[in-house]
């Protein structure tokens, strides 16, 4: 068992990215935060096992499983809410923030997860492969597709975007 | 998209910081303790000071019953007040305050013997400034 300080440190360092990742699956930021909290409360009760070699990948996997289990229990598809902010935009550019959220929303779920894990979770493709149970190459190629789509969406004129 | 463009776009995306989640209730109480790590020590010190002040007040009250205000002993001898006179006054006085009252400076006329001069008088006559 690792101590409480380490778990608190993990929450401080990865909490924001974990909630973002969970929100990209759950749709709602509140349920995402709830899922992340539950994962950490469990960790505090049981401790982080020594056999976990990659704590970051472990946390993202645990959060993903928790959110997917919640989805199964609720048996409903949650639409991503673009009005609830996920990011603190640079130079308070809230227009860009909304554009980015819409762009993320339009990505297929598998690509969306990979973009968030790599860009904001700062996971390597190897770690992403572990979390999503796919190969590193698949993760890398999906990431490139996703990045291109995001870029197209964010640089396209306002009226030409496809709203989903 | 080339690798360079990809890196630049990725760096741009990273300028959007994911919002911080609320702290876990389990950590919240703990972080308050860590934010003020010496709060308990400061509280204990303050408590100690208050206790000392209370004891002091109690002691003053205990001895604070009406009492006869001591009268300062007077210098009986005429002449300048010397250090040994001060010592004697302070030891004979009922209290420190009374002793200090007794040794407060009072103008005394100094008798100068025949053939002697008062240094103060000589200096007073000297008009040249040093």
């Amino acid at each position: 068992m690792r101590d409480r300080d380490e778990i608190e440190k993990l929450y401080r360092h990865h909490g924001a990215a974990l909630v973002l990742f969970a929100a990209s699956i759950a749709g709602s930021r509140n349920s995402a935060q709830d899922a992340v909290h539950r994962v950490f409360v469990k960790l505090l009760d049981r401790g982080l096992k020594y056999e976990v070699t990659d704590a970051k990948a472990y946390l993202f996997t645990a959060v993903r499983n928790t959110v997917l289990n919640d989805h199964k229990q609720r048996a409903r598809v949650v639409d991503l809410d673009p009005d609830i902010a996920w990011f603190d935009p640079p130079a308070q550019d809230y227009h860009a923030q909304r554009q980015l959220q819409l762009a993320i929303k339009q990505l297929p779920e598998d690509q969306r997860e990979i973009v968030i894990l790599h860009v904001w979770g700062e996971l390597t493709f190897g770690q992403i492969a572990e979390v999503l149970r796919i190969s590193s190459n698949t993760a890398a190629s999906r990431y490139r597709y996703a990045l291109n789509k995001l870029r197209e969406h964010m640089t396209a004129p306002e009226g030409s975007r496809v709203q989903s | 998209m080339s690798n360079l463009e990809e890196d630049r776009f990725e760096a741009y995306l990273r300028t959007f910081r994911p919002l911080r989640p609320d702290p876990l209730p389990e950590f919240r109480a703990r972080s308050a303790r860590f934010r003020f790590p010496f709060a308990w020590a400061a509280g204990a010190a303050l408590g100690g000071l208050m206790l000392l002040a209370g004891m002091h007040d109690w002691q003053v009250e205990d001895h604070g019953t009406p009492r006869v205000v001591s009268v300062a002993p007077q210098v009986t001898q005429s002449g300048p007040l010397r250090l040994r006179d001060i010592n004697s006054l302070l030891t004979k006085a009922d209290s420190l305050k009374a002793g200090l009252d007794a040794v407060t400076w009072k103008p005394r006329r100094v008798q100068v013997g025949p053939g002697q001069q008062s240094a103060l008088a000589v200096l007073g006559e000297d008009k040249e400034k040093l």
Side-chain angles (χ1 to χ4, degrees):
Chain A
M1 300 284 209
R2 295 182 199 177
D3 66 357
R4 203 187 155 90
D5 287 340
E6 196 175 341
I7 295 172
E8 191 172 349
K9 206 165 138 189
L10 286 171
Y11 184 79
R12 229 176 21 247
H13 286 178
H14 306 299
L18 285 166
V19 171
L20 175 68
F21 178 57
S24 77
I25 306 167
S28 136
R29 190 176 156 81
N30 280 343
S31 46
Q33 188 169 271
D34 181 54
V36 173
H37 277 190
R38 272 184 285 140
V39 166
F40 275 88
V41 167
K42 238 184 234 178
L43 276 181
L44 285 170
D45 287 344
R46 297 174 194 174
L48 197 56
K49 291 168 190 163
Y50 275 120
E51 56 262 29
V52 174
T53 49
D54 188 340
K56 195 153 83 165
Y58 172 83
L59 283 173
F60 279 93
T61 310
V63 166
R64 185 172 187 264
N65 291 342
T66 306
V67 175
L68 291 177
N69 281 342
D70 287 353
H71 266 267
K72 266 185 211 164
Q73 281 171 10
R74 287 174 196 156
R76 65 190 173 97
V77 178
V78 182
D79 199 15
L80 300 181
D81 186 354
D83 292 327
I84 293 178
W86 287 355
F87 299 99
D88 188 11
Q92 297 185 326
D93 188 354
Y94 295 105
H95 175 71
Q97 175 211 297
R98 197 177 152 78
Q99 264 187 315
L100 174 62
Q101 278 186 216
L102 280 171
I104 292 173
K105 185 188 169 186
Q106 287 180 3
L107 291 175
E109 196 172 326
D110 51 357
Q111 291 179 17
R112 190 191 308 147
E113 283 181 329
I114 291 171
V115 163
I116 289 172
L117 288 172
H118 188 64
V119 176
W120 293 285
E122 296 180 348
L123 266 67
T124 62
F125 292 120
Q127 288 172 314
I128 294 171
E130 195 185 318
V131 174
L132 302 179
R133 291 174 192 182
I134 52 174
S135 74
S136 301
N137 285 342
T138 308
S141 66
R142 282 186 192 167
Y143 175 73
R144 273 180 201 107
Y145 277 123
L147 214 57
N148 273 321
K149 281 186 195 165
L150 276 184
R151 195 165 180 241
E152 275 168 26
H153 188 94
M154 290 188 73
T155 52
E158 193 85 24
S160 65
R161 285 187 207 121
V162 181
Q163 302 286 326
S164 60
Chain B
M1 196 171 9
S2 68
N3 282 347
L4 185 66
E5 283 175 322
E6 204 173 86
D7 289 347
R8 277 188 191 155
F9 186 60
E10 202 179 283
Y12 169 69
L13 290 178
R14 284 202 172 111
T15 60
F16 292 81
R17 307 299 307 165
L19 292 177
R20 291 205 160 277
D22 296 338
L24 275 178
E26 282 80 353
F27 294 153
R28 210 177 286 148
R30 188 178 156 83
S31 64
R33 277 207 303 279
F34 274 100
R35 212 173 293 141
F36 308 107
F38 302 111
W40 65 270
L46 188 68
L49 279 176
M50 285 172 74
L51 191 69
L52 279 176
M55 281 174 69
H56 179 261
D57 283 352
W58 177 75
Q59 279 184 336
V60 166
E61 258 178 41
D62 191 40
H63 298 102
T65 47
R67 62 182 178 194
V68 179
V69 176
S70 57
V71 178
Q74 297 300 312
V75 181
T76 50
Q77 66 185 60
S78 59
L81 187 65
R82 287 166 297 190
L83 198 60
R84 66 169 167 233
D85 301 327
I86 295 171
N87 282 337
S88 152
L89 287 168
L90 286 173
T91 48
K92 282 177 191 165
D94 289 344
S95 66
L96 179 65
K97 186 182 179 302
L100 288 172
D101 284 345
V103 297
T104 47
W105 184 81
K106 292 182 183 71
R108 288 182 179 86
R109 191 176 291 276
V110 178
Q111 299 292 323
V112 181
Q116 288 183 324
Q117 272 189 309
S118 157
L120 280 172
V122 174
L123 285 170
E125 282 168 12
D126 192 357
K127 298 218 166 39
E128 278 184 32
K129 287 181 182 171
L130 295 171

